[in-house]
Amino acid sequence: MSWLPSERVLSIQSHVVFGYVGGKAAVFPLQCLGYDVDVVNTVNFSNHAGYGRSGGTKTSADELRQIFEAMEQNELLRPARILTGYIPGGEALSAVKELVAKLKHQKPTIMYLLDPVMGDAGRLYVSPDVVPVYRAMLPLATIITPNWFEVEVLTEIKLKDLSSLQKALEILHTRYQVPNVVISSIPLTPWLWSALPPSIRPENEKSHLICLASSLPTPQVPSSSTSVVHAQCVPLFPGYFSGVGDLFSSLLLAHFHPDEHPQNLTANCLSEAASQALTKTHAILQITHGQALTLPEDERLPSDDELDKAEPLRRTRRMRGRELALIRGQDILRGVNIRSLREMRIWRDFWATQ
Amino acid sequence: MSWLPSERVLSIQSHVVFGYVGGKAAVFPLQCLGYDVDVVNTVNFSNHAGYGRSGGTKTSADELRQIFEAMEQNELLRPARILTGYIPGGEALSAVKELVAKLKHQKPTIMYLLDPVMGDAGRLYVSPDVVPVYRAMLPLATIITPNWFEVEVLTEIKLKDLSSLQKALEILHTRYQVPNVVISSIPLTPWLWSALPPSIRPENEKSHLICLASSLPTPQVPSSSTSVVHAQCVPLFPGYFSGVGDLFSSLLLAHFHPDEHPQNLTANCLSEAASQALTKTHAILQITHGQALTLPEDERLPSDDELDKAEPLRRTRRMRGRELALIRGQDILRGVNIRSLREMRIWRDFWATQ
């Protein structure tokens, strides 16, 4: 595999013993794609929170600083790329912020993908004190990958129509100086469905998610609000899968190569990377979904809190059957036998549409 | 890759952010070979101890027990195989011992590879209180992979001739009821060189290591001391590489398939697995050695404590250049393009020779 890059990625996110979220979802794909990954664990838990119970501890800000300091003394802080994900508290996040700021100061071309993992579907699952720290970190990022809810939290804009989406993106690009924003897994609401250009709009708004990439044409001067927007819709699998965002972000970072095509617009490199990440993530979900279907019927139905309360292990077994099939699907991660790309398409009139 | 097994391995060993020792050396190879790995970190350090300085913390026995308990409650303790490595203290090791004993009680066919990581070249690098705990754990193991020094510590036999080696193996097989013992990286001392049968003996005793696998013919009745012994010599690369034993043990476990060939002697399955592990480990070392040769001359020379003292970063840089090239060599781990196997050969008269 002579095409393999040999860059280092510094990944800072959660660790779980069982299953695939955080680092367990992100590190293996990066390694398969040829990256040496420096792996910092912000928590050490038995399993993800979806199981209801978990054991283990969070890494304190002091412990993180000790690790970073030893690495600095040993000249081991040499990443070409940084990836940060789940960091549950403001103090620990501040330690990460200091590190990223220092690395970026030493090497301004360092590529930083910031996934501001805070919550989903209207609910925060980190301490609220991380929110201002993430806002302060945004100007350090090359790419951010918030979900729908995280865009709302960061920008304090309720996304209810195209104009509020435009406003939120403008805030991220101009106030927070983020050159590249990728929002994956956006629910395809009726207003979004009708706003989409025909080349992107699926026949049926239900059972689809949309991925949107917005990129400033000249990231060196991030002052323009008229970004280049690409989008693509993917069919939705029923029920919730954990770690999907972590997998998507790692693949997006792995496939983003603006330096290899300097003649290309960054927006095109970003949409190419998002196409790869979307295609591979969707293919992994397809295998995972197929695996979940082999569960007994009462364990594979979507969440049902009442039944879960009566029989807590029902929830656990459902979760277990829905862990991402990263190992079984590793050929997908490597790009073997991928028949067709879910290609991101340009949304030409995004900023013109009201 | 339809041949991929989909078994779970529970791996319990160290974690380092940078480089490849402990879990960082063992987990990726297992994943590449199709295993879902449950990853328990017994320490969270910035880098391995060879760098001189490191930051981070050990996982306490209490923290390990919390993780194991949550996994048990969530029905997530489902490994078909267990791999344990570096566990620096007796209390933490006792927590692991309780877990392994429980899993083995629940499922007596569980396969357990115990790597009694304690030290090397005459020096312990764990707390001495782990030694009696390891001795008590030996009867739980399917395979153990001590190095030369660890055999001496466990058996309290100084290995100075063939008869002391026979005695040590007999103690491991009979007193401690270990069915399979694999000792890799044995220095080929003159007495060992002359004891080897011509089919295994290399022309030159210098610059070779020997790997020895000793397997009881009927592991169900581990009372016989006359095991089947296989061995093979491999050329030695100059200088020390960290994590080699961790990589070897994970590959040995990954390739050990006694259930697939029930007509085969366990000894043959073990020697097949050891041949694969030896071949792949040696090929990874070859790439790593080539990579180390690209360092400036004063950083690639073997260890020199005086020069290191004057310039501590010299040691660090030398270590950095000698981190296992697991990512660059991942095709090797998967068995792609392996031209010839370093095949373990039977040592017929091992027990007859005096």
Side-chain angles (χ1 to χ4, degrees), chain A residues 1 15 17 20 28 31 36 38-39 41 44 47 53 55 70 73-75 78 316-317 320 330 334, chain B residues 15 17 20 28 31 36 38-39 41 44 47 53 55 70 74-75 78 316-317 320 330-331 334:
Chain A
M1 296 204 278
H15 174 77
V17 175
Y20 300 98
F28 181 63
Q31 291 177 321
D36 277 287
D38 301 326
V39 182
N41 301 320
N44 269 283
N47 48 263
R53 291 165 293 202
Q73 286 177 355
N74 287 340
E75 292 187 347
R78 310 160 65 80
T316 291
R317 290 181 193 132
R320 206 172 60 198
Q330 60 185 287
R334 287 187 199 103
Chain B
H15 175 77
V17 175
Y20 300 98
F28 181 63
Q31 291 177 321
D36 277 287
D38 302 325
V39 182
N41 301 320
N44 269 283
N47 47 261
R53 291 164 296 201
N74 287 339
E75 292 187 344
R78 309 159 65 80
T316 291
R317 290 181 193 132
R320 206 172 59 197
Q330 59 185 288
D331 273 1
R334 288 189 196 101

Side-chain angles (χ1 to χ4, degrees), chain A residues 284-305:
Chain A
I284 291 286
L285 276 175
Q286 196 148 30
I287 302 183
T288 309
H289 176 65
Q291 171 179 292
L293 288 182
T294 65
L295 290 177
E297 194 175 359
D298 72 319
E299 289 172 23
R300 82 174 117 97
L301 292 173
S303 176
D304 183 326
D305 290 343

Side-chain angles (χ1 to χ4, degrees), chain B residues 17-336:
Chain B
V17 175
F18 186 99
Y20 300 98
V21 301
K24 281 284 287 298
V27 173
F28 181 63
L30 285 163
Q31 291 177 321
C32 283
L33 289 166
Y35 291 92
D36 277 287
V37 188
D38 302 325
V39 182
V40 176
N41 301 320
T42 57
V43 307
N44 269 283
F45 285 159
S46 54
N47 47 261
H48 70 69
Y51 285 91
R53 291 164 296 201
S54 64
T57 45
K58 298 176 185 175
T59 311
S60 71
D62 272 356
E63 288 170 321
L64 288 174
R65 284 200 182 90
Q66 279 168 35
I67 288 172
F68 299 153
E69 275 163 26
M71 290 183 73
E72 185 174 20
Q73 285 177 357
N74 287 339
E75 292 187 344
L76 299 180
L77 282 175
R78 309 159 65 80
R81 301 174 180 223
I82 309 170
L83 172 63
T84 64
Y86 183 77
I87 301 162
E91 274 192 58
L93 186 59
S94 295
V96 173
K97 173 172 169 277
E98 288 158 25
L99 175 73
V100 174
K102 181 188 281 181
L103 290 173
K104 180 117 186 176
H105 179 75
Q106 287 165 1
K107 185 179 171 184
T109 59
I110 205 165
M111 190 185 289
Y112 173 33
L113 192 154
L114 185 166
D115 187 0
V117 179
M118 292 187 287
D120 205 357
R123 199 178 59 85
L124 270 190
Y125 41 59
V126 291
S127 161
D129 66 359
V130 305
V131 181
V133 188
Y134 270 130
R135 286 202 191 106
M137 290 174 81
L138 290 177
L140 297 168
T142 314
I143 310 177
I144 66 170
T145 52
N147 62 25
W148 206 228
F149 172 67
E150 289 154 354
V151 172
E152 293 186 331
V153 171
L154 289 172
T155 63
E156 295 177 286
I157 301 275
K158 177 84 190 151
L159 299 171
K160 59 183 196 324
D161 51 23
L162 188 63
S163 123
S164 55
L165 176 58
Q166 288 168 335
K167 181 75 190 151
L169 281 176
E170 192 184 329
I171 289 174
L172 293 172
H173 282 311
T174 57
R175 186 189 308 162
Y176 293 114
Q177 297 168 36
V178 180
N180 301 289
V181 177
V182 179
I183 317 174
S184 64
S185 303
I186 306 171
L188 192 51
T189 53
W191 63 261
L192 194 50
W193 184 81
S194 38
L196 280 176
S199 59
I200 301 173
R201 184 163 55 199
E203 287 194 9
N204 186 345
E205 85 239 37
K206 281 189 193 105
S207 70
H208 276 82
L209 292 174
I210 177 169
C211 172
L212 188 140
S214 176
S215 189
L216 291 179
T218 49
Q220 292 77 11
V221 190
S223 59
S224 160
S225 72
T226 48
S227 64
V228 179
V229 174
H230 286 80
Q232 179 57 281
C233 295
V234 286
L236 173 69
F237 291 107
Y240 190 83
F241 297 88
S242 298
V244 182
D246 309 324
L247 170 62
F248 177 85
S249 294
S250 79
L251 289 169
L252 183 69
L253 181 62
H255 285 290
F256 186 55
H257 298 295
D259 296 342
E260 285 177 19
H261 310 282
Q263 76 284 9
N264 271 16
L265 275 180
T266 308
N268 292 342
C269 298
L270 187 71
S271 91
E272 271 179 44
S275 301
Q276 289 283 346
L278 207 58
T279 303
K280 293 181 175 183
T281 303
H282 191 264
I284 290 286
L285 276 175
Q286 197 148 29
I287 301 182
T288 309
H289 176 65
Q291 169 180 291
L293 288 183
T294 66
L295 290 177
E297 194 175 2
D298 73 317
E299 290 172 21
R300 80 175 120 94
L301 292 172
S303 176
D304 183 325
D305 290 343
E306 250 178 67
L307 283 177
D308 283 357
K309 222 174 212 167
E311 167 55 304
L313 281 173
R314 182 176 172 277
R315 174 174 174 169
T316 291
R317 290 181 193 132
R318 190 174 61 240
M319 288 292 158
R320 206 172 59 197
R322 301 173 76 80
E323 289 284 359
L324 294 178
L326 283 193
I327 303 301
R328 212 140 67 80
Q330 59 185 288
D331 273 1
I332 292 164
L333 301 176
R334 288 189 196 101
V336 179

Side-chain angles (χ1 to χ4, degrees), chain A residues 108-126:
Chain A
T109 59
I110 204 165
M111 190 185 291
Y112 174 32
L113 191 154
L114 185 165
D115 186 0
V117 179
M118 292 187 289
D120 204 357
R123 199 177 59 84
L124 271 188
Y125 42 58
V126 291

